């Protein structure tokens, strides 16, 4: 299959992790597919492989993260080889530490502000989200995830999506969150990411370098003209 997705502002992003789970769930329901069914879905970010699980969730092989800053793209100076990890960025009069990861689409991950760990309740997402999205260091704009660490295997995250603003969840963002968390030494390679819309379970496999995202997708309604 092939998937295309459009943001609320009309722009077309490369990928949507939540969208691909929904597409897989829809196709599986139409097919009457059983657990273990795997689909191959072409996106602008490459070939993505969702697999239906016995508990009704969808596990998605999201491929390998892109860590080279220039490919994200960002003009922030690399801190580890060609990778941008915990680089300071001034936004709205505060100093935020930003790590950049591409999952085929760009993400800026923020774990710290003014030298302190992020507390989500203190982040004014509607104010600073647009400032990050259109910051000059992100020439193609960026999705921005603000992350609060509960433990190495459990974080909270909220997201300001490029072209869509505040959303309840972001699958590619959850994947990028764990990659950045590992690079910054803040999370394990297997981590639960709690978003306003619910949890996702992310694994960055050390052997294959691939990221696996597992989460629900449920039928809501159908309509017609």
């Amino acid at each position: 299959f092939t998937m295309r997705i459009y943001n609320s502002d009309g722009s077309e992003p490369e990928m949507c992790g939540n969208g691909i789970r929904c597409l897989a769930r829809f196709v599986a329901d139409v097919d009457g597919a059983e657990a273990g069914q795997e689909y191959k879905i072409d996106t602008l970010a490459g070939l993505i492989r969702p697999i239906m699980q016995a508990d009704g969730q969808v596990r998605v092989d999201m491929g390998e993260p892109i860590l080279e800053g220039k490919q994200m793209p960002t003009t922030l100076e690399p801190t580890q080889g060609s990778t941008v990890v915990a680089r300071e960025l001034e936004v709205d009069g505060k100093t935020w530490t930003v790590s950049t990861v591409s999952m085929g689409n760009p993400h800026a991950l923020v774990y710290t502000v003014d030298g302190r760990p992020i507390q989500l309740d203190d982040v004014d997402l509607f104010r600073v989200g647009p400032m990050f999205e259109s910051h000059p260091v992100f020439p193609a704009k960026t999705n921005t995830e603000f992350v609060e660490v509960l433990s190495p295997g459990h974080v909270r995250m909220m997201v300001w999506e490029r072209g869509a603003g505040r959303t309840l969840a972001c699958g590619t963002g959850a994947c990028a969150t764990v990659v950045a968390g590992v690079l910054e030494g803040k999370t394990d390679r297997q981590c639960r990411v709690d978003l306003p819309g619910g949890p996702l379970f992310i694994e960055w496999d050390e052997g294959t370098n691939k990221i696996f995202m597992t989460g629900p997708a449920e039928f809501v309604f159908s309509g017609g003209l």
Side-chain angles (χ1 to χ4, degrees):
F1 298 89
T2 297
M3 182 182 83
R4 298 180 68 182
I5 181 166
Y6 293 89
N7 291 318
S8 55
D9 69 353
S11 60
E12 183 177 7
E14 297 86 350
M15 235 291 284
C16 175
N18 292 322
I20 208 154
R21 292 200 322 277
C22 291
L23 174 60
R25 175 81 273 162
F26 171 75
V27 174
D29 288 346
V30 171
D31 287 348
E34 298 181 351
Q37 175 66 52
E38 177 179 341
Y39 295 101
K40 298 177 182 178
I41 302 176
D42 279 315
T43 73
L44 293 179
L47 187 67
I48 308 295
R49 300 172 182 265
I51 304 172
M52 311 311 297
Q53 304 295 291
D55 62 1
Q57 297 200 94
V58 184
R59 177 177 167 87
V60 185
D61 176 351
M62 299 287 286
E64 299 183 35
I66 299 169
L67 301 180
E68 185 174 346
K70 290 182 179 180
Q71 291 189 43
M72 182 193 159
T74 181
T75 60
L76 285 168
E77 286 295 320
T79 51
Q80 298 180 8
S82 59
T83 304
V84 178
V85 178
R87 171 64 72 183
E88 291 187 349
L89 182 66
E90 297 292 325
V91 176
D92 195 31
K94 298 180 179 180
T95 302
W96 312 75
T97 57
V98 176
S99 296
T100 65
V101 176
S102 173
M103 293 299 305
N105 57 352
H107 294 272
L109 298 308
V110 183
Y111 277 85
T112 308
V113 57
D114 288 337
R116 300 186 302 272
I118 288 286
Q119 300 293 314
L120 291 189
D121 292 342
D122 297 335
V123 177
D124 187 347
L125 185 64
F126 286 92
R127 178 177 175 81
V128 300
M131 296 180 182
F132 274 90
E133 178 184 2
S134 58
H135 198 286
V137 299
F138 305 120
K141 298 190 174 182
T142 187
N143 303 284
T144 308
E145 288 79 24
F146 300 90
V147 192
E148 179 179 340
V149 178
L150 305 178
S151 74
H154 189 188
V155 301
R156 292 176 62 209
M157 182 267 275
M158 63 181 181
V159 58
W160 185 269
E161 290 199 48
R162 178 186 60 164
R166 176 186 179 271
T167 60
L168 295 179
C170 180
T172 55
C175 294
T177 291
V178 174
V179 172
V182 171
L183 294 176
E184 292 192 30
K186 290 181 167 59
T187 71
D188 296 333
R189 284 180 171 266
Q190 295 186 32
C191 188
R192 169 176 166 162
V193 181
D194 287 350
L195 304 108
L200 289 170
F201 297 88
I202 308 299
E203 177 186 359
W204 185 15
D205 184 73
E206 190 168 8
T208 64
N209 197 39
K210 290 186 175 183
I211 303 175
F212 296 90
M213 170 188 64
T214 302
E218 300 177 4
F219 178 82
V220 179
F221 68 90
S222 62
L225 297 176

